[in-house]
Amino acid sequence: MDWWLILLRIVHIGSAMIWFGGAIIASFFLTPTAAALGKAGQPFMEHLMNRRRMGIFFPIVAALTVLSGAALYWRASAGLQSDWISTPPGLAFTIGGLAAIAAFVGGFVLIGPSIAEQTAVQNELASGDGVPTETQRQRLERAGRRMQLANRIDLPLLLLAGLTMAVARYL
């Protein structure tokens, strides 16, 4: 029995489930609800991101998914042997891995800075009168648009990654 392989698969599949599930819940439920609540939703999102550390938890889970997946890919491909990579399962794992890496990078490029910007504006509002200036409103809107873009890009990429890896062994 290969305990390293079992451990890598548990970490990879478990963290991928958490990453994708969290992305679905955040995209379809948490963010729209907070937006619909307007000013009343700000304390909820602030608590979620800063106190519950969602903004730290999901990048760690995503990194665990990508790193354990890379180790599994290295192992399955016998050190990136093109003979394996060019097989149907190898191609499926390659497509899935690239999709997950693209979603991971997209999260850092779009989601992280958007959350930081929203948090900064909310802290400014909390220390002031709570009424956003035109500049603060524009900053919040820009961050919100980046989050929507991230959802439109990352969710399909994560779905592609999961589905290609689920069927790769059967191709």
Side-chain angles (χ1 to χ4, degrees), residues 39-58:
K39 189 175 179 178
Q42 290 175 359
F44 170 75
M45 291 305 284
E46 188 276 330
H47 180 82
L48 187 65
M49 290 299 166
N50 297 326
R51 304 259 193 270
R52 300 298 304 169
R53 306 272 192 241
M54 185 175 171
I56 295 170
F57 178 74
F58 280 100

Side-chain angles (χ1 to χ4, degrees), residues 71-91:
L72 288 166
Y73 187 86
W74 178 267
R75 185 181 175 112
S77 70
L80 303 178
Q81 295 296 313
S82 62
D83 289 345
W84 179 85
I85 294 171
S86 62
T87 65
L91 290 172

Side-chain angles (χ1 to χ4, degrees), residues 99 102-103 106 110 147-158:
L110 295 170
M147 289 292 284
Q148 288 176 340
L149 176 62
N151 291 338
R152 288 188 194 117
I153 294 170
D154 283 0
L155 289 177
L157 286 172
L158 290 174

Side-chain angles (χ1 to χ4, degrees), residues 86-120:
S86 62
T87 65
L91 290 172
F93 281 121
T94 301
I95 291 167
L98 290 174
I101 290 168
F104 181 73
V105 170
F108 274 95
V109 170
L110 295 170
I111 296 172
S114 297
I115 291 171
E117 184 70 14
Q118 290 169 336
T119 301

